[in-house]
Amino acid sequence: MTTTTEFLPAPLWNEALFTGEWSRPAKALSSVIEPATGKSLGNIAMADEALIKQACQEARQAQRKWADLHYDERASILRKAISIAEQHSDEIVDWLIKESGSIGPKAQAELGFTIKSLIESAGLPSQSHGQVLPSSAGRLSIARRKPLGVVGVISPFNFPLYLAMRAVAPAIALGNSVVLKPDPRTAISGGFVIARIFELAGLPKGVLSVLPGDGAAGAALVADPNVAMIQFTGSTPAGRKVGEAAGKHLKKVSLELGGKNSLIILEDADLDIALANATWGVYLHQGQICMSTGRVLVQRKIYDKFKAMMIEKAKNLPAGNPATEQVALGPLINEQQRDHAANLVKAAVKAGATLEVGGNYNGLFFEATVLSDVKQDNPAFIEEIFGPVAILVPFDTDAEAIELANDTEFGLSAAIISRDVGRALALGERLQTGLLHINDQTVNDEIINPFGGVGASGNGTSIGGPANWEEFTQWQWLTLKGDAPQYPL
């Protein structure tokens, strides 16, 4: 593959000849595969434990100088990064489409989220860093926010650019340095693009390092004594391991994990609007989103009609190569994810669900699928599928809808469609979830909002908007007197 500009020079990714100040040579290479075609997009270097250790040491050394810079100098680099991302938007979107299997509109939206994250982060250095506390006469008492130091970021494949940048940008803006380990499957759009943006923006050497690697590299990052915090976005099983290791090393940790999110459609809903919301929530990016609508709970009075509409809609959602076709569904990321989805569909049918449409695949292209009458003990009701599969479940009362939605170890996102906003809000107040949307679907993020889940969806810590101050800084209490007191002992 050739790039359209010199934004991301080919040697940067294809020969592992890293010329940027943010990178280091490595021996092991990994091929980045285009999921739609199975072709190699090029090779990337894979970091080992020694390389992680070196990067963390350099990050700690660079962090102090970076934090000591005038706040406007740090903000200026963020502002330059915004301009660079906008200038090279076409090439960045092209990488997202080819590397992650994103359809065009999703890739464009992801770039938009990423730029907005940079915009919001550019404003952080000039915001208030604390507050003056009440104290006695002649004594100044201040609670102020200080950078943590080195932040390790482990990011996923599904929204690779944004889900890395939403941690990298605010962490850097608030005076931290960052070591980023992107998923090797999307190391270019989830790592090298970010590194190149900041390199061109003038970020000092050592403040950001991008090191794709396997689980051993991630474990080394979590364990490194120079790292003060880990921000992890990924699966719940992997998140449990990261949380356990971070706790062992007494590190601050932010876990953004999986979800089994419910969209509740009440009997008074406009069915066309409900269908549009359900389709978006279930099938966007082939269902490979932590906020994807994992269950569509439909009140029984409208269940049969809505089911027929959902089936017809699924039949008309084309799948194909988003780099060359106008399609609704691109490929799943790899064979493992495809097989996981296919096996869950088979298990669901074996457990009593009805396969209304779909369930088949061609290569990594998985058909839009609808499973109906899924019971609470069905594997498809319980497990996160991460594929384009609609799970339809009827209910009778609001209390039953609440019970169904809360019957999960996850607690990320929930949504309710109804003309009766008061009723929907009262129902929503009883849902155990970090994100709640009335008259919308479950896949929502506006960058300026706190984002986080509870239970198996995360450790309750939020990222984004005002929560970034809580995430990437720590409180220090400072008192000041004109003269030291004489204590009696």
Side-chain angles (χ1 to χ4, degrees):
M1 174 174 177
T2 58
T3 54
T4 57
T5 73
E6 289 302 311
F7 167 64
L8 202 62
L12 198 67
W13 50 270
N14 198 35
E15 302 293 340
L17 300 175
F18 297 114
T19 58
E21 291 183 339
W22 44 268
S23 58
R24 292 158 186 79
K27 296 179 182 179
L29 297 181
S30 178
S31 184
V32 176
I33 302 299
E34 182 179 18
T37 64
K39 296 178 181 178
S40 174
L41 295 172
N43 297 317
I44 59 165
M46 293 284 280
D48 57 14
E49 296 175 39
L51 213 53
I52 293 289
K53 180 179 180 180
Q54 178 189 346
C56 293
Q57 290 174 339
E58 293 180 7
R60 186 169 184 178
Q61 293 168 2
Q63 186 269 328
R64 186 67 266 164
K65 286 186 178 180
W66 171 245
D68 286 344
L69 281 180
H70 189 276
Y71 70 86
D72 202 42
E73 290 186 61
R74 281 186 277 123
S76 176
I77 288 175
L78 271 294
R79 291 193 291 266
K80 289 177 184 176
I82 296 165
S83 177
I84 291 164
E86 291 174 337
Q87 180 183 352
H88 298 284
S89 60
D90 289 346
E91 187 174 358
I92 295 171
V93 166
D94 184 59
W95 274 113
L96 282 168
I97 291 171
K98 291 184 176 180
E99 190 182 27
S100 71
S102 302
I103 62 172
K106 180 268 185 184
Q108 292 281 358
E110 183 173 352
L111 177 61
F113 293 153
T114 302
I115 291 173
K116 190 171 182 180
S117 179
L118 285 166
I119 292 170
E120 293 299 319
S121 297
L124 292 175
S126 59
Q127 292 179 7
S128 171
H129 283 49
Q131 53 187 293
V132 178
L133 304 176
S135 190
S136 56
R139 180 175 185 262
L140 185 63
S141 179
I142 298 173
R144 63 178 180 174
R145 285 288 189 178
K146 302 280 286 182
L148 294 167
V150 181
V151 175
V153 177
I154 303 175
S155 59
F157 73 85
N158 55 340
F159 272 68
L161 180 65
Y162 169 58
L163 293 183
M165 187 67 87
R166 71 170 182 177
V168 170
I172 286 175
L174 291 169
N176 302 284
S177 56
V178 172
V179 178
L180 167 63
K181 192 196 85 65
D183 190 306
R185 292 170 291 185
T186 51
I188 299 168
S189 52
F192 299 159
V193 165
I194 294 170
R196 185 63 167 159
I197 286 171
F198 278 111
E199 182 181 37
L200 294 176
L203 189 69
K205 181 180 179 180
V207 177
L208 172 63
S209 292
V210 173
L211 297 170
D214 58 14
L221 182 60
V222 175
D224 194 279
N226 293 293
V227 175
M229 174 194 172
I230 295 293
Q231 200 291 310
F232 173 87
T233 303
S235 72
T236 295
R240 292 186 194 278
K241 295 179 182 178
V242 170
E244 180 181 3
K248 177 181 178 182
H249 295 285
L250 300 180
K251 297 182 189 294
K252 185 175 183 179
V253 62
S254 165
L255 301 174
E256 298 295 341
L257 310 177
K260 191 66 176 179
N261 313 293
S262 291
L263 170 62
I264 300 172
I265 302 174
L266 299 179
E267 60 192 354
D268 65 346
D270 181 303
L271 289 185
D272 289 328
I273 292 175
L275 178 66
N277 278 264
T279 301
W280 183 266
V282 170
Y283 297 118
L284 179 63
H285 197 42
Q286 299 78 259
Q288 298 175 120
I289 306 173
C290 59
M291 295 178 287
S292 289
T293 300
R295 302 167 179 165
V296 184
L297 310 181
V298 187
Q299 199 147 23
R300 197 173 302 275
K301 183 178 178 179
I302 59 171
Y303 177 78
D304 287 338
K305 186 173 182 180
F306 180 85
K307 179 174 71 173
M309 294 171 67
M310 193 82 193
I311 293 168
E312 188 63 25
K313 186 71 173 181
K315 289 178 179 178
N316 291 282
L317 292 177
N321 186 347
T324 59
E325 304 173 67
Q326 293 291 328
V327 294
L329 301 175
L332 294 176
I333 190 66
N334 59 19
E335 292 180 356
Q336 290 77 16
Q337 187 53 47
R338 179 203 65 196
D339 293 345
H340 172 74
N343 289 337
L344 268 177
V345 170
K346 292 177 183 177
V349 173
K350 186 176 181 180
T354 301
L355 177 61
E356 301 286 358
V357 65
N360 299 312
Y361 57 82
N362 180 14
L364 297 183
F365 299 101
F366 202 99
E367 294 176 342
T369 300
V370 176
L371 291 169
S372 67
D373 300 314
V374 179
K375 307 298 183 183
Q376 285 176 263
D377 59 353
N378 194 297
F381 184 92
I382 299 167
E383 297 184 40
E384 185 178 28
I385 298 177
F386 237 56
V389 182
I391 306 299
L392 302 187
V393 182
F395 68 90
D396 292 300
T397 66
D398 290 8
E400 185 182 357
I402 293 166
E403 193 273 331
L404 288 167
N406 285 339
D407 184 13
T408 176
E409 65 173 344
F410 298 103
L412 183 56
S413 185
I416 304 167
I417 304 289
S418 173
R419 288 188 174 96
D420 188 339
V421 174
R423 177 189 176 191
L425 186 58
L427 191 159
E429 290 291 337
R430 297 175 61 188
L431 299 180
Q432 299 163 3
T433 183
L435 312 172
L436 175 63
H437 306 290
I438 306 300
N439 283 326
D440 209 330
Q441 44 74 48
T442 58
V443 183
N444 267 290
D445 194 358
E446 293 184 358
I447 319 307
I448 60 173
N449 54 284
F451 184 100
V454 298
S457 291
N459 58 352
T461 312
S462 292
I463 189 171
N468 282 329
W469 280 100
E470 297 290 334
E471 268 314 68
F472 300 115
T473 64
Q474 59 188 4
W475 283 110
Q476 182 188 62
W477 182 38
L478 169 66
T479 67
L480 178 64
K481 294 181 179 180
D483 298 299
Q486 180 67 52
Y487 285 101
L489 294 182

